[in-house]
Amino acid sequence: MHCPCRGKLKLLLASLSFIVLLTWLYLLAGNLENGRSLLLSPCVVESTEARLLERDVLESRVREVEEENRQIRLQLSQSQSLAAQPAEGNYGNQQWVASADTGPEDVENTAEERANHSECARSPTAEKCELIHVACVCAGHNASRDVVTLVKSILFHRRNPLHFHFITDTVANQILSTLFQSWMVPSVQVSFYDADELKSEVSWIPNKHYSGIYGLMKLTLTKALPSDLSKVIVLDTDITFATDIAELWAIFKKFTGNYSDDPSVLFHWTQSFVQRKRMNSVVFIPEKQVIGLVENQSDWYLGNLWKNHKPWPALGRGFNTGVILLYLERLRRIGWEQMWRLTAEKELMSMLSTSLADQDIFNAFIKQNPVLVHQLPCFWNVQLSDHTRSEQCYTEVSDLKVIHWNSPKKLRVKNKHVEFFRNLYLTFLEYDGNLLRRELFGCPSQASSESTKLQNALEELDEDDQCYDFRRERIMVHRVHLYFLQYEYTSTEDDTDITLVAQLSMDRLQMLEAICKHWEGPISLALYMSDAEAQQFLRYAQASEVLKNRKNVGYHIVYKEGQFYPVNLVRNVALHNAKTPYVFLTDIDFLPMYGLYDYLRKSIVHLDMANTKKALVVPAFETLRYRLSFPKSKAELLSMLDMGTLYTFRYHVWTKGHAPTNYAKWRTATTPYKVEWEADFEPYVVVRRDCPEYDQRFVGFGWNKVSHIMELDAQEYDLIVLPNAFMIHMPHAPSFDISKFRSSPGYRYCLTTLKDEFHQDLSRKYGSAALKYLTAQRNI
């Protein structure tokens, strides 16, 4: 009886299910048409309402822009004049304009690209071996450190040749040019441009941003960079890449617009801009996208951060200029230099100064010319600052492309994933840069003269030679980062200033504070460290009140590579970067007597070192006590010497090293006295800065200072012992190389071989005058 009803009910349910299935298939097909799939989750989570609204807006805009595009093309072809104003639309908080020179298909793609980044874009790719240009403004010691981490992250992921363009001050130029020259990364070119020559272009703009005048210099890149450079990626120094930069470079292919080569058209466009600018009207330029930017992820430009907050004009949230794609060729064609100046002049009449440097001017310009901007997905500039919307730029690690520490707080910003970002940053901060010296297979590049010279030298070595590793170390090129911390020095008027010169490794860091307390003059220190150790040193120095307050100490990092300690190479780095006319060549584990700096300066004048070749010997002593009441005078030192608290340096293990100082005579001397060179003499001396450098064939322990004194003697330097100067060696554990020297017959054999070769080189260089060194060596 109930069977017919049940049959009808089943039929009804089947019909409804069929209708739902058809509807679902229809929607699926519609989404697939637009390159989407309902089965795939979006890249960034959005509400359903926002997506539906976005779709309606985009469909409406497609129809409007198609008609607009047709009208503009017609008018341009007929009269070569500007004929229309762009129609504006909205999505979210962002105003935008579709490109007027695209076809219907391109318009839809452009709209999708400009839409919320939750849509997974179909990314173009860079050509294999295509040269990618990257520009960066870098000034000062701190920014130079930051840019190294940026470069490491780029090199780690890159598959293309790179050309870095650095706009630098004098400090950054010296640091980065030395670094890249010693880094010798294949398929990487570097160019430098003097920031001082660009200051007049932007110095008239009042700027409250902490970056100062350098924060405005990205505005000048069309003028600063070579005229034949058509495109460039511009980056802040606080950027970290999590992907291949070629992906970002490929986005240039998405820029819409074609340019006319007719000078009359270009002239008309520029004149129109100036005229409309004076009328305070919105400017329309037919040429399309010239700048690629990511939307700002804070509420700064919305003006609601605090009471009376008045930001510069911007489209919605505005754009962040930490990552910029600049189409230089197009910018030059439309008269960019004149345009940004007019924009700045107009806005400064009411704003009085910039708060975010170049970013304010870029945003004001884009608000008046929205058609010129290509909006990048926000994962190309994930802005880590307090109270930003950066978390909406990613749902998985794979979404991340570029991390931007765009806050004065840097690694201390508030973000629920900050620990992950911090670890990613630290990975590159401490990454061994030597591992990035890798070839790009399949991309031939011309080797630099330095790398060619190094390769030729390596080929001349005999790999079967027992001392091959020693000889290879002599020609090895180590990465060098000069002035790792801020350095300030003002030269004295009397030209008697002296720099204390020394080298050290991680196990001698504890000596730095004590030396700074004993020596108030300038110091040049070369530190042999790994990338990770250099960061440990940085944290140590920044936490030390003594080191923080000493700006006349130059710290130069020589990065570890190879199995030996290249002690003389490291010494030479410290010596070459002393700024004063005279240098005090010492070791890091010696403490100079209090007042030695002033005493040496007086001795320089008294002994007329400016006009004579002299090496002033500072007598060396040592203690076996880790806690020592340091003597304040020569009389107090002699008393401690008699009591056995102090000893003449190395008297019990290496008497020859300092015996020629003649300590017996020094005890009663009141005036400087001359001593003669003897075999194995290795005193600590004060000489002119143009003295011979250390011989870099000697690595690790043994003969590294002896050879230098022989070179001084061969050049007829007089060895003069100072009667009222002294220094004391503080105890420490033996270095690794001393242990190798004592335990390895091969190490000692090679050291002897290198000594013989050094004597032969001296004989060739100085003739018969150098025979005494060979004779003395044979008599030992």
Side-chain angles (χ1 to χ4, degrees), residues 463-477:
E463 294 188 17
D464 296 327
D465 183 355
Q466 185 175 344
C467 302
Y468 171 81
D469 291 333
F470 285 82
R471 302 188 193 286
R472 188 177 186 278
E473 181 61 45
R474 183 183 181 183
I475 60 177
M476 183 178 292
V477 178

PDB file of all heavy atoms in Angstrom, residues 463-477:
ATOM      1  N   GLU A 463     101.043  18.442  -6.890  1.00  0.00           N
ATOM      2  CA  GLU A 463     100.206  17.806  -5.882  1.00  0.00           C
ATOM      3  C   GLU A 463     100.915  16.662  -5.162  1.00  0.00           C
ATOM      4  O   GLU A 463     100.473  16.233  -4.092  1.00  0.00           O
ATOM      5  CB  GLU A 463      98.900  17.301  -6.516  1.00  0.00           C
ATOM      6  CG  GLU A 463      98.004  18.417  -7.030  1.00  0.00           C
ATOM      7  CD  GLU A 463      96.647  17.920  -7.479  1.00  0.00           C
ATOM      8  OE1 GLU A 463      96.277  16.787  -7.092  1.00  0.00           O
ATOM      9  OE2 GLU A 463      95.961  18.647  -8.227  1.00  0.00           O
ATOM     10  N   ASP A 464     102.008  16.177  -5.724  1.00  0.00           N
ATOM     11  CA  ASP A 464     102.776  15.119  -5.070  1.00  0.00           C
ATOM     12  C   ASP A 464     103.798  15.681  -4.089  1.00  0.00           C
ATOM     13  O   ASP A 464     104.452  14.909  -3.369  1.00  0.00           O
ATOM     14  CB  ASP A 464     103.492  14.260  -6.125  1.00  0.00           C
ATOM     15  CG  ASP A 464     102.507  13.518  -7.015  1.00  0.00           C
ATOM     16  OD1 ASP A 464     101.421  13.153  -6.502  1.00  0.00           O
ATOM     17  OD2 ASP A 464     102.801  13.315  -8.208  1.00  0.00           O
ATOM     18  N   ASP A 465     103.952  16.998  -4.078  1.00  0.00           N
ATOM     19  CA  ASP A 465     104.875  17.643  -3.144  1.00  0.00           C
ATOM     20  C   ASP A 465     104.388  17.407  -1.713  1.00  0.00           C
ATOM     21  O   ASP A 465     103.210  17.590  -1.401  1.00  0.00           O
ATOM     22  CB  ASP A 465     104.930  19.137  -3.452  1.00  0.00           C
ATOM     23  CG  ASP A 465     105.927  19.888  -2.576  1.00  0.00           C
ATOM     24  OD1 ASP A 465     106.510  19.276  -1.661  1.00  0.00           O
ATOM     25  OD2 ASP A 465     106.100  21.100  -2.804  1.00  0.00           O
ATOM     26  N   GLN A 466     105.314  17.020  -0.821  1.00  0.00           N
ATOM     27  CA  GLN A 466     104.957  16.756   0.558  1.00  0.00           C
ATOM     28  C   GLN A 466     104.394  17.999   1.245  1.00  0.00           C
ATOM     29  O   GLN A 466     103.596  17.899   2.169  1.00  0.00           O
ATOM     30  CB  GLN A 466     106.185  16.241   1.326  1.00  0.00           C
ATOM     31  CG  GLN A 466     105.887  15.809   2.762  1.00  0.00           C
ATOM     32  CD  GLN A 466     107.099  15.200   3.439  1.00  0.00           C
ATOM     33  OE1 GLN A 466     108.067  14.834   2.779  1.00  0.00           O
ATOM     34  NE2 GLN A 466     107.050  15.083   4.755  1.00  0.00           N
ATOM     35  N   CYS A 467     104.815  19.157   0.760  1.00  0.00           N
ATOM     36  CA  CYS A 467     104.369  20.424   1.364  1.00  0.00           C
ATOM     37  C   CYS A 467     103.331  21.132   0.494  1.00  0.00           C
ATOM     38  O   CYS A 467     103.206  22.369   0.542  1.00  0.00           O
ATOM     39  CB  CYS A 467     105.570  21.338   1.606  1.00  0.00           C
ATOM     40  SG  CYS A 467     106.829  20.625   2.671  1.00  0.00           S
ATOM     41  N   TYR A 468     102.618  20.350  -0.321  1.00  0.00           N
ATOM     42  CA  TYR A 468     101.609  20.936  -1.223  1.00  0.00           C
ATOM     43  C   TYR A 468     100.590  21.783  -0.473  1.00  0.00           C
ATOM     44  O   TYR A 468     100.250  22.889  -0.899  1.00  0.00           O
ATOM     45  CB  TYR A 468     100.905  19.820  -2.002  1.00  0.00           C
ATOM     46  CG  TYR A 468      99.708  20.290  -2.801  1.00  0.00           C
ATOM     47  CD1 TYR A 468      99.875  20.892  -4.047  1.00  0.00           C
ATOM     48  CD2 TYR A 468      98.412  20.153  -2.299  1.00  0.00           C
ATOM     49  CE1 TYR A 468      98.780  21.334  -4.783  1.00  0.00           C
ATOM     50  CE2 TYR A 468      97.312  20.587  -3.023  1.00  0.00           C
ATOM     51  CZ  TYR A 468      97.503  21.176  -4.260  1.00  0.00           C
ATOM     52  OH  TYR A 468      96.408  21.624  -4.972  1.00  0.00           O
ATOM     53  N   ASP A 469     100.075  21.282   0.651  1.00  0.00           N
ATOM     54  CA  ASP A 469      99.038  22.008   1.394  1.00  0.00           C
ATOM     55  C   ASP A 469      99.552  23.355   1.908  1.00  0.00           C
ATOM     56  O   ASP A 469      98.817  24.347   1.926  1.00  0.00           O
ATOM     57  CB  ASP A 469      98.540  21.164   2.570  1.00  0.00           C
ATOM     58  CG  ASP A 469      97.754  19.946   2.102  1.00  0.00           C
ATOM     59  OD1 ASP A 469      97.172  20.015   1.005  1.00  0.00           O
ATOM     60  OD2 ASP A 469      97.726  18.930   2.826  1.00  0.00           O
ATOM     61  N   PHE A 470     100.832  23.403   2.312  1.00  0.00           N
ATOM     62  CA  PHE A 470     101.417  24.667   2.761  1.00  0.00           C
ATOM     63  C   PHE A 470     101.516  25.658   1.602  1.00  0.00           C
ATOM     64  O   PHE A 470     101.213  26.841   1.753  1.00  0.00           O
ATOM     65  CB  PHE A 470     102.811  24.429   3.348  1.00  0.00           C
ATOM     66  CG  PHE A 470     102.800  23.814   4.715  1.00  0.00           C
ATOM     67  CD1 PHE A 470     102.650  22.444   4.879  1.00  0.00           C
ATOM     68  CD2 PHE A 470     102.952  24.602   5.843  1.00  0.00           C
ATOM     69  CE1 PHE A 470     102.643  21.863   6.134  1.00  0.00           C
ATOM     70  CE2 PHE A 470     102.948  24.041   7.103  1.00  0.00           C
ATOM     71  CZ  PHE A 470     102.787  22.676   7.256  1.00  0.00           C
ATOM     72  N   ARG A 471     101.949  25.167   0.463  1.00  0.00           N
ATOM     73  CA  ARG A 471     102.117  26.061  -0.695  1.00  0.00           C
ATOM     74  C   ARG A 471     100.754  26.539  -1.212  1.00  0.00           C
ATOM     75  O   ARG A 471     100.617  27.684  -1.654  1.00  0.00           O
ATOM     76  CB  ARG A 471     102.874  25.334  -1.802  1.00  0.00           C
ATOM     77  CG  ARG A 471     104.241  24.823  -1.365  1.00  0.00           C
ATOM     78  CD  ARG A 471     105.032  24.279  -2.548  1.00  0.00           C
ATOM     79  NE  ARG A 471     106.188  23.521  -2.112  1.00  0.00           N
ATOM     80  CZ  ARG A 471     107.304  24.050  -1.608  1.00  0.00           C
ATOM     81  NH1 ARG A 471     107.404  25.360  -1.492  1.00  0.00           N
ATOM     82  NH2 ARG A 471     108.311  23.281  -1.231  1.00  0.00           N
ATOM     83  N   ARG A 472      99.784  25.672  -1.142  1.00  0.00           N
ATOM     84  CA  ARG A 472      98.438  26.060  -1.584  1.00  0.00           C
ATOM     85  C   ARG A 472      97.856  27.133  -0.670  1.00  0.00           C
ATOM     86  O   ARG A 472      97.183  28.048  -1.136  1.00  0.00           O
ATOM     87  CB  ARG A 472      97.526  24.827  -1.601  1.00  0.00           C
ATOM     88  CG  ARG A 472      96.158  25.066  -2.219  1.00  0.00           C
ATOM     89  CD  ARG A 472      95.346  23.771  -2.251  1.00  0.00           C
ATOM     90  NE  ARG A 472      94.107  23.943  -2.968  1.00  0.00           N
ATOM     91  CZ  ARG A 472      93.000  24.473  -2.450  1.00  0.00           C
ATOM     92  NH1 ARG A 472      93.004  24.861  -1.176  1.00  0.00           N
ATOM     93  NH2 ARG A 472      91.905  24.605  -3.176  1.00  0.00           N
ATOM     94  N   GLU A 473      98.136  27.015   0.612  1.00  0.00           N
ATOM     95  CA  GLU A 473      97.627  28.005   1.561  1.00  0.00           C
ATOM     96  C   GLU A 473      98.153  29.404   1.253  1.00  0.00           C
ATOM     97  O   GLU A 473      97.459  30.396   1.437  1.00  0.00           O
ATOM     98  CB  GLU A 473      98.006  27.600   2.983  1.00  0.00           C
ATOM     99  CG  GLU A 473      97.518  28.551   4.066  1.00  0.00           C
ATOM    100  CD  GLU A 473      96.013  28.665   4.110  1.00  0.00           C
ATOM    101  OE1 GLU A 473      95.332  27.637   4.042  1.00  0.00           O
ATOM    102  OE2 GLU A 473      95.523  29.810   4.211  1.00  0.00           O
ATOM    103  N   ARG A 474      99.382  29.472   0.757  1.00  0.00           N
ATOM    104  CA  ARG A 474      99.982  30.777   0.487  1.00  0.00           C
ATOM    105  C   ARG A 474      99.227  31.559  -0.580  1.00  0.00           C
ATOM    106  O   ARG A 474      99.178  32.796  -0.530  1.00  0.00           O
ATOM    107  CB  ARG A 474     101.440  30.580   0.052  1.00  0.00           C
ATOM    108  CG  ARG A 474     102.183  31.881  -0.190  1.00  0.00           C
ATOM    109  CD  ARG A 474     103.589  31.621  -0.697  1.00  0.00           C
ATOM    110  NE  ARG A 474     104.317  32.870  -0.903  1.00  0.00           N
ATOM    111  CZ  ARG A 474     105.547  32.947  -1.397  1.00  0.00           C
ATOM    112  NH1 ARG A 474     106.196  31.837  -1.722  1.00  0.00           N
ATOM    113  NH2 ARG A 474     106.131  34.120  -1.556  1.00  0.00           N
ATOM    114  N   ILE A 475      98.653  30.843  -1.544  1.00  0.00           N
ATOM    115  CA  ILE A 475      97.976  31.538  -2.640  1.00  0.00           C
ATOM    116  C   ILE A 475      96.453  31.525  -2.491  1.00  0.00           C
ATOM    117  O   ILE A 475      95.746  32.079  -3.331  1.00  0.00           O
ATOM    118  CB  ILE A 475      98.364  30.926  -4.000  1.00  0.00           C
ATOM    119  CG1 ILE A 475      97.968  29.443  -4.055  1.00  0.00           C
ATOM    120  CG2 ILE A 475      99.844  31.095  -4.260  1.00  0.00           C
ATOM    121  CD1 ILE A 475      98.246  28.776  -5.397  1.00  0.00           C
ATOM    122  N   MET A 476      95.958  30.892  -1.435  1.00  0.00           N
ATOM    123  CA  MET A 476      94.507  30.841  -1.231  1.00  0.00           C
ATOM    124  C   MET A 476      93.958  32.239  -0.961  1.00  0.00           C
ATOM    125  O   MET A 476      94.578  33.043  -0.255  1.00  0.00           O
ATOM    126  CB  MET A 476      94.171  29.912  -0.072  1.00  0.00           C
ATOM    127  CG  MET A 476      92.675  29.724   0.174  1.00  0.00           C
ATOM    128  SD  MET A 476      92.354  28.554   1.523  1.00  0.00           S
ATOM    129  CE  MET A 476      92.927  27.027   0.776  1.00  0.00           C
ATOM    130  N   VAL A 477      92.798  32.538  -1.535  1.00  0.00           N
ATOM    131  CA  VAL A 477      92.151  33.838  -1.328  1.00  0.00           C
ATOM    132  C   VAL A 477      91.039  33.671  -0.296  1.00  0.00           C
ATOM    133  O   VAL A 477      90.086  32.916  -0.520  1.00  0.00           O
ATOM    134  CB  VAL A 477      91.569  34.396  -2.642  1.00  0.00           C
ATOM    135  CG1 VAL A 477      90.867  35.732  -2.385  1.00  0.00           C
ATOM    136  CG2 VAL A 477      92.677  34.561  -3.675  1.00  0.00           C
TER     137      VAL A 477
END
